[in-house]
Amino acid sequence: MQNNKRFILASRPEGMPDETHLHLEEVPVQEPGEGEIALKTLYLSLDPYMRGRMNAGASYAKSLEIGDVMTGEAVSEVTSSNVAGFAKGDLVIGRTGWQTHSVATPDLLYKIDPALAPASAWLGVIGMPGFTAYVGLREFGKPKAGETVVVSAASGAVGQVVGQIAKMHGCRVVGVAGADDKCEYVVKNYGFDICVNYKDDDFEDKLKAACPKGIDVYFENVGGKVFEGVMKLINDFARVPVCGRIAHYNQTKLPEGPDRLIPFMGQILIKRLMFRGFIQSDHLELLPDFRRDMSQWLKEGKVKYQEDVVEGFDNALTAFQGLLQGRNRGKLVIKVA
Ligand code: NAP
């Protein structure tokens, strides 16, 4: 009998998660009951939000409980089905978690069309991260031709799409990333105008030179020193879609230093800034538009994408640690089967 390998939340991390927090175990593969579908995972998506689910406490989504299978979206193949409309061999996407096999009800699954994009891309450019870029930039960044758009984590799953959509709007696009090769990649392959490495000692000077007319839209993915550098260049009436703050996900306490809240609030007022936190899943009414536009852009070659495909389910934890340290190159997925 085949076993299901799965990662279980064994304890809550403080800082970087490791083997003491996520246990790899094997259990027998579950048979599907009435109204259920049995699945074999092909690709597992690894995403920064997963780190937040490991914490206790209030957030926009429920935390994992100790003993739960680690949360995550995957593309799977139907291996057997007790549901009309789902047949053996169909490819589906769903929140089936970090495991090699699962059983799900049809309401939690979406049948993908591999003719539109390869299976793994449904976890990236035409999946949740691509949708995040589409919603955040268009609805809340509201870019206009000639404006300067800065995006952090520029080479990642969300950032690479933000930059390319901003180019379609006729903007000057400035990426910020944590490695020179990432910067070179987004300029060469996605048409970013320029990209600055935030790890350089003279990062703020380089960002200033890259944004001679200041910054009109800042697509915030990271927080930390990138945010501080951007705020020094922000223009009147700028828009800041707040998508993520990955620089802080493993932080255990607030950084030392003066409280910057009062000057920050002053800047929001004086410059009439618009900060807008958003979660992509609040905007699912835009999903059909996104899938229509993105499949067209992919077909026309207007949007390109990079995936970092790690082979082997057992490597998921190490790859996830890498994501939280910037080791991935593009959208990180695990090839499970
Ligand atoms: P990603 O960019 O593919 O991977 C994460 C990247 O974050 C790393 O490669 C690294 O790139 C950067 N990073 C890691 N630690 C950092 C640090 N301490 N300081 C600065 N950068 C750091 O991930 P993604 O899926 O596209 O996600 C990007 C952001 O969007 C995350 O904050 C995520 O939580 C957020 N997000 C939000 C939503 C939503 O609905 N609001 C949905 C999806 C994703 P560098 O080498 O460039 O540092």
Side-chain angles (χ1 to χ4, degrees):
M1 187 162 164
Q2 227 185 348
N3 276 349
N4 174 27
K5 282 189 175 184
R6 57 189 198 178
F7 279 91
I8 297 291
L9 182 67
S11 62
R12 299 200 188 279
E14 288 214 4
M16 184 62 78
D18 61 28
E19 298 75 9
T20 60
H21 311 111
L22 284 173
H23 283 181
L24 180 57
E25 62 173 35
E26 286 193 41
V27 293
V29 167
Q30 210 188 321
E31 290 297 322
E34 196 56 38
E36 289 182 333
I37 300 155
L39 302 166
K40 180 174 84 172
T41 310
L42 302 183
Y43 290 97
L44 169 67
S45 182
L46 294 183
D47 300 275
Y49 76 83
M50 295 168 172
R51 176 63 189 85
R53 297 286 198 284
M54 301 173 83
N55 297 336
S59 185
Y60 63 90
K62 201 173 157 297
S63 300
L64 288 166
E65 300 295 336
I66 300 297
D68 281 353
V69 175
M70 184 66 175
T71 191
E73 258 195 323
V75 170
S76 303
E77 187 183 310
V78 174
T79 52
S80 69
S81 166
N82 294 328
V83 177
F86 287 82
K88 190 170 185 304
D90 282 351
L91 295 186
V92 297
I93 189 166
R95 191 163 293 286
T96 46
W98 290 29
Q99 51 188 346
T100 57
H101 298 77
S102 62
V103 163
T105 49
D107 54 310
L108 301 176
L109 301 175
Y110 174 79
K111 260 208 243 183
I112 63 168
D113 179 358
L116 283 185
S120 57
W122 288 86
L123 299 172
V125 68
I126 196 163
M128 184 279 282
F131 181 57
T132 303
Y134 181 90
V135 168
L137 184 66
R138 290 163 50 123
E139 299 300 307
F140 308 120
K142 297 194 183 302
K144 293 194 270 299
E147 289 189 328
T148 298
V149 174
V150 174
V151 55
S152 47
S155 72
V158 176
Q160 55 181 285
V161 180
V162 169
Q164 293 179 83
I165 297 177
K167 281 311 297 177
M168 288 183 211
H169 284 263
C171 299
R172 174 174 174 78
V173 175
V174 178
V176 178
D180 289 343
D181 68 290
K182 290 185 176 185
C183 279
E184 281 158 25
Y185 196 93
V186 301
V187 171
K188 203 167 148 214
N189 296 284
Y190 305 140
F192 282 47
D193 293 280
I194 191 165
C195 179
V196 184
N197 184 341
Y198 68 86
K199 291 182 181 160
D200 287 348
D201 291 338
D202 55 353
F203 161 64
E204 289 197 0
D205 293 337
K206 284 186 172 152
L207 187 64
K208 190 171 179 190
C211 305
K213 294 185 187 162
I215 296 170
D216 303 296
V217 179
Y218 173 49
F219 195 101
E220 170 65 303
N221 279 326
V222 305
K225 66 180 280 197
V226 181
F227 177 71
E228 288 184 20
V230 163
M231 285 305 287
K232 292 179 182 157
L233 302 170
I234 203 96
N235 286 337
D236 288 358
F237 302 105
R239 287 82 65 202
V240 182
V242 181
C243 176
R245 324 175 299 131
I246 193 167
H248 307 291
Y249 292 175
N250 278 323
Q251 241 169 25
T252 50
K253 57 181 173 57
L254 290 173
E256 301 289 318
D259 183 349
R260 296 187 183 87
L261 184 61
I262 292 170
F264 172 58
M265 292 301 285
Q267 221 181 349
I268 289 179
L269 174 63
I270 293 162
K271 295 197 163 177
R272 289 85 95 205
L273 304 178
M274 219 277 291
F275 278 73
R276 177 59 151 88
F278 74 98
I279 300 296
Q280 52 80 26
S281 53
D282 291 332
H283 305 280
L284 295 181
E285 75 284 357
L286 296 172
L287 204 48
D289 290 0
F290 163 70
R291 289 201 178 119
R292 180 202 61 216
D293 290 348
M294 186 53 82
S295 52
Q296 189 63 26
W297 293 336
L298 289 170
K299 217 182 296 165
E300 292 170 357
K302 281 191 180 158
V303 169
K304 301 196 175 82
Y305 62 96
Q306 183 188 29
E307 288 175 342
D308 191 336
V309 182
V310 173
E311 297 263 349
F313 180 70
D314 294 8
N315 295 320
L317 174 56
T318 315
F320 184 52
Q321 290 170 332
L323 178 79
L324 297 170
Q325 293 170 312
R327 285 204 298 270
N328 60 310
R329 295 292 182 269
K331 169 64 195 141
L332 181 60
V333 289
I334 301 292
K335 189 166 192 285
V336 178

